[in-house]
Amino acid sequence: MINELLKKFSIETPANLLKVVLNDTAKNLSEKFNRNIYIFIHEPPRELLKLLGASVECNAISKFKVYFSDNKKLFENLLNNKVSEIVVDNFEELKCLNVEKLFLIPIISNNALIGAFGVPYDFNKDELNHFLEEAESYGILLKLTMEFLVLEETRDRLENIEEITDLFENILDENLLMKKIIEKIKNMLHAQGVIYWKSEGNKLLLKESVGFSVDNIEKILEGKNSLEGLSHLRKKAFLVVGKNRFKNFITPIKTDLLSALYAPIIIDNIDYGVIGVYNREEGFGFRPYKHFDNFDLDSLINTTRRLGLALSRIYLYDKLKEEIEKLISLKKNHENLINVQREHLDKLNSLHKISQAVRSTYDKINAIKIMLMGLTSVRGLKFNRALYLERDRTRGVLIPKIWVGPSDDEDVDTIWKEANKRALKYGDIVQYLREEAIQLPTDNKLTQDIKNKMIVYKGQPLLERAVTKKHIIHVVPQMIKFKNDELQYLYDIIKYDEFVIIPITGKWETKGVVIADNKFNRKEITPVDIEILRLFQDSIGLSIETIENYEELREKTKNLEEQKNLIDFYRRFNENILQNLSHAIIVIDRKGKIIEWNKKAELFFDKGREQVVGESSDILKEKLGIDVINSIESIFFTREEMKMPKYIIRNDTEEKVYDIQLSPLWNRDLDVIEGVIVSFDDVTETYEMEKEIAKREKLAAIGEMTARVAHEIKNPLTIIGGFVNRMMKKLDNPEKIKQYSSIIKDELTRLESIVAEILEFSRGNRIPVFELVDINTLIDEIILMFQDFLHQKKIELKFEKMFDKIEVKCDRSRVKQVLINLIKNAIEAVNEGNYIHIITGVENDFVFFQIENNGDPIPEGKQAKIFSPFFTTKIQGTGLGLPICKKIIEEEHKGKLYLVKSDEQSTIFRFEIPLN
């Protein structure tokens, strides 16, 4: 029987071999022991026994599984070679076997559980031993069958690996290699499909797939949400078996996954991507189960590891190829660069020689000819022609001056050969340019063609940019085509469509421009030429400016000598004026040193100029006092002029009076004060005369006041005398005596008031008693006093306060007297129904009071006299009210009282008292 089974190895395909061997073995044993036999195969990855063979037909075959996870004791018993029992009634799918229970007899090989024979009835001891003896050979056959199938599958896999190796060795295109490799992986592992995911940071992007439609695959996977991402993040390959294992992850394929393999691709320790292999297909090799196993995983790991090496090789190859191409390109560029640099150096050397030649002359025309020859010479910058145009700033035009080079109707080759022969005669370029420039004619054919022509640059963007912005302009044919209006005039002169405009610039401005071209050899003007010309522009421009400056300097030197002589004359003249002034003049610098001292100062201090110039200003203290010295120092901070009129200086023998003026000595260019000018004049005699005049004026005023007082007193005295005489005649008439007595009393009161005001005005300043007073409260009290008068005359009084409380240090009673007088005057001045407007506030550290009324104005001719004593516009009054007010405010409180205005609209009086 066993021989029959062995023949099956050569007949059956690997896919059917195990099934045939299992079923035939079960039937042979069933016939021998007269009972149904069932054969279970152990699947280690899933830890279960699967029913794969039976002596009877039943739907349970290849479907029924016994899981060790549900019965761990069963696995231990079978592994220990013990017969174990399972109850069949517990399994719905086994009802077709028509048995209640099965007894499992283990199949063990090399201490490993291969599977188990299932019998419906238990054997006795002898029957069991007999069965084991008979089944031993079948167990060996079963193991051989499984090993044979494993070898077959291994052989098939090795063939695939060999093909994969060929792909690694022969394909150098990354995309083609990846496409071929995943196809081979699919065939090797008999997978439903394979997907290659490329790493992009923490994301995986779909790159290649086989076996699945691209429309059914997610294009991007992220992080730990997918098993592919997990393999990428952990850099680890793993196998997943069982449908439930996929539930907690995002599956990128729209199909049910039963098993899958994941392996990262790592190239030089860099994550490159992940290969996912999904769902093993049935019918290939020995597989008692439908899923991938560790053998598949090892094969995938081996493949991806080798794939990483192959990709690394491709990268190295591509990089090497790229580097070789770069080296070839660099070599060419280097050779070109050497040639360009050689040409560059030759031209730089020529430029240096041209600059030397230009600097060797002080003649501007000769310098321009050297410059143009340097541009056109074969030993210079090798342009065909060069035209110099001088700038006229006033008119905004360029005027052609000299044009060097051959003209169209001349034999160019002959001219150049002659010029080259002459150039080679000179060993030094500088000598060549200098000597040839002297002989260069300025009336050649080209220069004559441009005579009396002008080119306007203002309003022409390109030319204006060259002249005012100092930019070199490279004109090419396309520019002439598109900027025809602007460049047409230049083109008509040059008659060539490529040229360069070079501004010749000094330090501050453009002197002119040079236009150079290669009309005859038609050589392109390169960026190297432009860079050389930039250096040419700077060096030549400065050289020409130096020549102009030299000529100008020579002229200015001559003028300066004349000016120096004139300055010396003015200096001597100013010194004579300073020394002959009637005022003493002293000048002190910022360090407190005396720097000037005139004759009057020498007389005043009895010290010569040579003794004090350079000395400290402290020597002035003895004569002028510390106050003047401190005032001098303050000028540097206040930056304002200070006057000290009638400044008294006392010494042991006499008292002198001086008018002193301190003025800042400005340096207007730097806006700084370099010193202080002290000017003082002896005004002692004038001061004494003014005192005498004031004394006489005071006596005259007293005389006038006496006359006015006598006049003011005379009236009430006359009235009193008249009524006393009447009283004497009417002694028998008490009513008349009472009436006359009342009149006499009123006149006595008036007389007392006149005497009081005269005394108030005539006596000296009283010492005020200062206290902190709220000016607003004081005004409110006075307004209350006049409330009846205001009501009787229907006067509208408005009191406007800048602040609710305005406090100032003053003599309360004296200021109140002023306020009463001003408010009383306003009430008396207005007519019925008029208004009075009072404003109080603070401005510039002064408290002010302002009162306005719209009564009759003070006549313009009398406004200047209202503060004069005894002047009044009232029928009754001494004219001392306002003078006394002015005395209180200005003399006692150091403030100001004045008439702001008086016209048809209103009359305004205002006084101001300092806060401190």
Side-chain angles (χ1 to χ4, degrees):
M1 295 298 292
I2 291 179
N3 290 333
E4 292 294 328
L5 289 174
L6 288 173
K7 290 178 182 178
K8 303 287 187 182
F9 279 74
S10 59
I11 299 171
E12 298 292 339
T13 62
N16 294 326
L17 181 59
L18 181 61
K19 183 178 180 182
V20 171
V21 170
L22 289 175
N23 286 333
D24 288 352
T25 298
K27 289 176 181 177
N28 290 340
L29 289 174
S30 176
E31 290 174 1
K32 190 167 286 193
F33 290 97
N34 196 26
R35 64 183 70 187
N36 287 329
I37 301 296
Y38 307 95
I39 301 177
F40 293 84
I41 296 300
H42 180 216
E43 290 186 23
R46 294 199 290 175
E47 297 182 353
L48 57 81
L49 289 174
K50 187 174 183 181
L51 179 60
L52 291 178
S55 58
V56 295
E57 294 293 331
C58 181
N59 292 332
I61 296 172
S62 77
K63 295 180 180 178
F64 174 66
K65 306 174 189 70
V66 178
Y67 290 93
F68 292 138
S69 59
D70 298 333
N71 191 347
K72 292 184 180 180
K73 190 67 175 174
L74 174 64
F75 176 70
E76 293 175 3
N77 288 339
L78 292 175
L79 194 61
N80 292 325
N81 213 4
K82 293 180 181 179
V83 178
S84 301
E85 177 185 336
I86 61 171
V87 180
V88 176
D89 288 345
N90 293 341
F91 302 96
E92 185 69 27
E93 61 267 34
L94 295 181
K95 286 186 178 181
C96 63
L97 299 179
N98 296 319
V99 293
E100 295 180 358
K101 60 177 69 174
L102 282 176
F103 294 91
L104 301 181
I105 301 168
I107 305 171
I108 303 293
S109 175
N110 296 329
N111 297 323
L113 180 64
I114 302 300
F117 293 106
V119 294
Y121 308 106
D122 193 10
F123 289 109
N124 60 34
K125 187 175 182 182
D126 293 335
E127 288 175 331
L128 178 61
N129 290 332
H130 180 54
F131 180 83
L132 291 174
E133 288 175 6
E134 190 69 30
E136 183 177 1
S137 57
Y138 286 101
I140 293 170
L141 179 62
L142 181 60
K143 183 182 179 185
L144 286 173
T145 303
M146 296 174 68
E147 288 177 350
F148 171 76
L149 292 172
V150 169
L151 286 173
E152 282 295 310
E153 186 172 359
T154 303
R155 183 182 60 78
D156 179 67
R157 189 153 298 180
L158 286 172
E159 289 177 357
N160 280 286
I161 289 173
E162 190 174 335
E163 293 176 4
I164 289 172
T165 302
D166 290 339
L167 294 176
F168 289 154
E169 291 177 353
N170 298 321
I171 297 177
L172 293 175
D173 181 85
E174 178 189 340
N175 294 329
L176 179 60
L177 177 64
M178 293 304 301
K179 187 173 183 179
K180 293 290 185 183
I181 288 298
I182 64 172
E183 287 176 355
K184 281 295 178 184
I185 291 173
K186 178 181 184 301
N187 295 334
M188 181 177 69
L189 300 180
H190 306 296
Q192 180 185 353
V194 180
I195 300 176
Y196 160 52
W197 306 89
K198 182 150 187 190
S199 171
E200 289 287 345
N202 289 329
K203 296 180 180 180
L204 293 174
L205 307 181
L206 173 65
K207 293 298 287 183
E208 295 286 349
S209 69
V210 62
F212 300 113
S213 170
V214 177
D215 296 335
N216 294 328
I217 307 173
E218 294 287 341
K219 303 303 183 290
I220 300 174
L221 296 177
E222 296 191 17
K224 298 180 180 179
N225 297 332
S226 64
L227 290 165
E228 291 82 359
L230 205 60
S231 175
H232 169 239
L233 292 174
R234 294 182 178 177
K235 300 181 182 178
K236 184 178 179 182
F238 51 80
L239 162 68
V240 179
V241 178
K243 192 173 182 179
N244 293 333
R245 300 284 181 88
F246 295 92
K247 289 183 177 179
N248 296 327
F249 297 92
I250 293 173
T251 55
I253 313 160
K254 295 178 181 178
T255 187
D256 290 334
L257 295 182
L258 303 177
S259 65
L261 301 170
Y262 305 94
I265 303 171
I266 298 175
I267 305 173
D268 300 329
N269 294 323
I270 298 173
D271 296 336
Y272 189 74
V274 173
I275 288 183
V277 184
Y278 307 95
N279 287 348
R280 178 179 170 87
E281 293 182 334
E282 295 186 61
F284 297 96
F286 162 65
R287 281 294 160 93
Y289 43 83
K290 298 179 182 179
H291 55 77
F292 297 114
D293 59 13
N294 288 324
F295 182 47
D296 298 325
L297 180 62
D298 291 339
S299 299
L300 180 62
I301 291 172
N302 177 267
T303 302
T304 54
R305 188 178 295 121
R306 295 173 65 203
L307 176 60
L309 293 172
L311 289 172
S312 179
R313 181 170 61 86
I314 290 172
Y315 293 156
L316 288 173
Y317 175 80
D318 291 341
K319 192 171 182 181
L320 183 61
K321 184 178 177 182
E322 185 181 342
E323 290 298 322
I324 291 171
E325 290 175 354
K326 283 183 179 178
L327 284 172
I328 293 170
S329 176
L330 283 172
K331 181 185 176 185
K332 291 181 180 178
N333 292 338
H334 184 64
E335 290 172 352
N336 293 334
L337 185 61
I338 288 173
N339 294 330
V340 169
Q341 286 179 338
R342 187 179 290 117
E343 183 183 357
H344 202 162
L345 287 171
D346 289 343
K347 289 187 176 182
L348 282 174
N349 183 55
S350 299
L351 177 61
H352 175 64
K353 298 296 183 181
I354 294 167
S355 297
Q356 279 186 313
V358 171
R359 289 197 300 270
S360 67
T361 181
Y362 290 103
D363 181 80
K364 182 178 176 181
I365 297 299
N366 199 42
I368 292 170
K369 290 197 289 185
I370 291 172
M371 171 186 70
L372 296 176
M373 282 193 64
L375 281 169
T376 56
S377 172
V378 70
R379 298 188 70 178
L381 301 184
K382 303 176 184 177
F383 284 95
N384 292 173
R385 302 184 302 175
L387 166 63
Y388 177 71
L389 302 99
E390 193 168 69
R391 181 187 183 189
D392 185 333
R393 291 176 56 89
T394 306
R395 293 185 289 173
V397 298
L398 297 171
I399 303 171
K401 290 293 183 181
I402 304 174
W403 198 353
V404 173
S407 63
D408 293 339
D409 55 0
E410 293 176 324
D411 187 348
V412 176
D413 291 334
T414 303
I415 291 173
W416 281 350
K417 284 178 183 178
E418 291 291 331
N420 292 342
K421 284 181 183 179
R422 289 198 306 274
L424 293 172
K425 289 179 182 179
Y426 296 90
D428 183 27
I429 302 176
V430 176
Q431 183 185 2
Y432 160 69
L433 292 173
R434 194 166 54 228
E435 293 186 11
E436 287 293 319
I438 294 171
Q439 303 173 29
L440 184 71
T442 57
D443 59 348
N444 62 356
K445 183 96 169 45
L446 284 178
T447 305
Q448 287 177 358
D449 289 343
I450 58 172
K451 198 172 182 180
N452 300 323
K453 290 187 178 181
M454 288 188 300
I455 300 173
V456 177
Y457 69 83
K458 282 191 175 179
Q460 306 295 332
L462 279 175
L463 283 175
E464 193 164 13
R465 183 180 171 203
V467 174
T468 59
K469 301 296 183 182
K470 305 178 183 179
H471 290 172
I472 292 177
I473 307 296
H474 181 195
V475 177
V476 295
Q478 292 84 352
M479 292 173 66
I480 293 176
K481 181 178 179 181
F482 291 109
K483 292 185 176 287
N484 185 53
D485 294 341
E486 181 180 349
L487 296 174
Q488 186 61 46
Y489 193 71
L490 266 179
Y491 178 74
D492 291 342
I493 295 174
I494 303 296
K495 292 184 172 61
Y496 188 58
D497 57 5
E498 183 183 11
F499 51 88
V500 61
I501 303 170
I502 313 143
I504 304 303
T505 59
K507 187 175 182 181
W508 306 113
E509 63 176 13
T510 300
K511 302 295 180 182
V513 301
V514 172
I515 298 177
D517 65 19
N518 291 321
K519 179 177 181 180
F520 298 105
N521 64 11
R522 296 187 175 275
K523 185 178 179 182
E524 183 184 356
I525 300 172
T526 66
V528 173
D529 294 328
I530 301 299
E531 291 303 316
I532 294 288
L533 290 173
R534 292 189 201 284
L535 299 174
F536 175 87
Q537 168 192 13
D538 294 335
S539 61
I540 300 301
L542 289 172
S543 298
I544 290 177
E545 187 176 59
T546 301
I547 293 169
E548 290 180 346
N549 290 342
Y550 173 76
E551 294 175 353
E552 187 179 350
L553 182 63
R554 190 167 56 182
E555 186 65 29
K556 284 184 176 179
T557 302
K558 181 180 178 182
N559 293 335
L560 283 172
E561 289 177 355
E562 295 175 357
Q563 289 178 9
K564 179 177 177 294
N565 294 333
L566 186 62
I567 289 170
D568 288 342
F569 169 76
Y570 282 129
R571 181 175 56 78
R572 291 191 298 272
F573 181 73
N574 289 335
E575 284 180 357
N576 288 334
I577 291 173
L578 179 67
Q579 296 302 326
N580 288 287
L581 285 173
S582 60
H583 289 55
I585 303 294
I586 302 170
V587 182
I588 299 166
D589 68 10
R590 295 187 68 87
K591 295 180 180 179
K593 303 292 184 182
I594 297 170
I595 59 174
E596 192 53 77
W597 183 274
N598 73 345
K599 290 288 184 184
K600 276 290 183 181
E602 289 180 350
L603 293 173
F604 178 77
F605 289 97
D606 196 23
K607 289 184 180 181
R609 183 176 185 277
E610 63 279 358
Q611 292 178 271
V612 295
V613 171
E615 296 293 325
S616 172
S617 60
D618 290 342
I619 65 173
L620 307 177
K621 288 181 184 178
E622 183 179 353
K623 285 284 183 90
L624 297 181
I626 190 66
D627 289 345
V628 176
I629 302 302
N630 291 339
S631 298
I632 292 170
E633 293 175 357
S634 71
I635 295 296
F636 290 105
F637 300 100
T638 62
R639 302 165 71 91
E640 292 180 355
E641 185 179 85
M642 180 185 293
K643 292 182 179 180
M644 304 172 71
K646 309 296 186 294
Y647 187 80
I648 299 173
I649 299 176
R650 297 182 178 87
N651 53 33
D652 296 337
T653 59
E654 61 181 346
E655 177 181 279
K656 290 283 188 177
V657 181
Y658 290 89
D659 279 349
I660 300 176
Q661 181 170 327
L662 310 176
S663 304
L665 178 61
W666 283 98
N667 182 330
R668 295 297 178 184
D669 293 334
L670 301 177
D671 194 32
V672 296
I673 297 173
E674 294 184 341
V676 177
I677 302 169
V678 182
S679 168
F680 54 96
D681 185 24
D682 187 348
V683 293
T684 306
E685 292 182 5
T686 304
Y687 178 73
E688 293 296 336
M689 289 176 63
E690 287 176 352
K691 281 175 62 177
E692 184 63 27
I693 289 169
K695 183 176 178 182
R696 292 180 180 181
E697 286 178 350
K698 187 173 181 181
L699 289 173
I702 291 172
E704 182 183 353
M705 183 183 74
T706 303
R708 292 293 301 271
V709 168
H711 175 73
E712 290 295 331
I713 292 175
K714 180 180 177 182
N715 290 335
L717 286 176
T718 301
I719 293 171
I720 291 170
F723 279 99
V724 168
N725 290 330
R726 290 184 183 185
M727 285 176 65
M728 294 298 294
K729 295 176 182 179
K730 301 287 185 178
L731 291 175
D732 57 344
N733 190 343
E735 288 298 326
K736 288 290 183 181
I737 290 174
K738 185 177 179 182
Q739 181 183 358
Y740 296 158
S741 296
S742 176
I743 293 170
I744 291 169
K745 181 180 178 183
D746 290 341
E747 290 301 316
L748 286 172
T749 303
R750 179 183 167 205
L751 184 61
E752 184 181 2
S753 174
I754 291 169
V755 172
E757 285 188 351
I758 292 169
L759 289 173
E760 171 71 26
F761 179 74
S762 61
R763 70 187 176 187
N765 291 344
R766 55 170 285 186
I767 298 173
V769 179
F770 286 99
E771 59 181 302
L772 203 59
V773 176
D774 180 3
I775 198 78
N776 290 339
T777 303
L778 196 59
I779 294 167
D780 286 335
E781 293 175 3
I782 296 167
I783 291 172
L784 190 63
M785 289 169 51
F786 291 104
Q787 197 67 44
D788 291 340
F789 293 99
L790 295 169
H791 184 69
Q792 288 173 10
K793 294 184 73 172
K794 298 180 181 178
I795 297 170
E796 177 189 354
L797 188 144
K798 182 181 179 183
F799 183 14
E800 183 179 334
K801 308 169 185 177
M802 184 181 291
F803 305 106
D804 291 337
K805 191 173 186 179
I806 301 176
E807 291 186 330
V808 62
K809 279 193 174 183
C810 64
D811 188 319
R812 179 186 176 87
S813 63
R814 302 288 280 169
V815 172
K816 186 174 182 179
Q817 182 180 341
V818 174
L819 290 169
I820 289 171
N821 193 293
L822 293 175
I823 293 171
K824 179 172 175 289
N825 286 351
I827 292 171
E828 290 175 352
V830 298
N831 300 317
E832 186 173 324
N834 285 11
Y835 73 86
I836 294 173
H837 185 192
I838 296 173
I839 303 175
T840 59
V842 179
E843 282 182 2
N844 301 323
D845 295 330
F846 279 84
V847 171
F848 71 84
F849 165 86
Q850 183 171 297
I851 184 165
E852 178 182 7
N853 70 80
N854 63 341
D856 295 333
I858 301 170
E860 189 173 344
K862 297 181 179 181
Q863 289 181 13
K865 303 177 182 179
I866 56 174
F867 292 107
S868 300
F870 305 108
F871 176 81
T872 181
T873 58
K874 301 176 184 178
I875 297 173
Q876 290 187 345
T878 61
L880 294 175
L882 285 177
I884 291 171
C885 290
K886 193 172 184 68
K887 180 180 177 184
I888 292 170
I889 294 300
E890 295 186 356
E891 296 182 16
E892 296 181 9
H893 289 82
K894 308 303 178 185
K896 291 187 292 183
L897 170 63
Y898 55 95
L899 172 68
V900 177
K901 71 160 190 169
S902 184
D903 53 28
E904 296 299 326
Q905 293 180 344
S906 64
T907 298
I908 302 175
F909 280 90
R910 179 184 175 105
F911 73 73
E912 299 168 1
I913 301 175
L915 278 169
N916 299 314

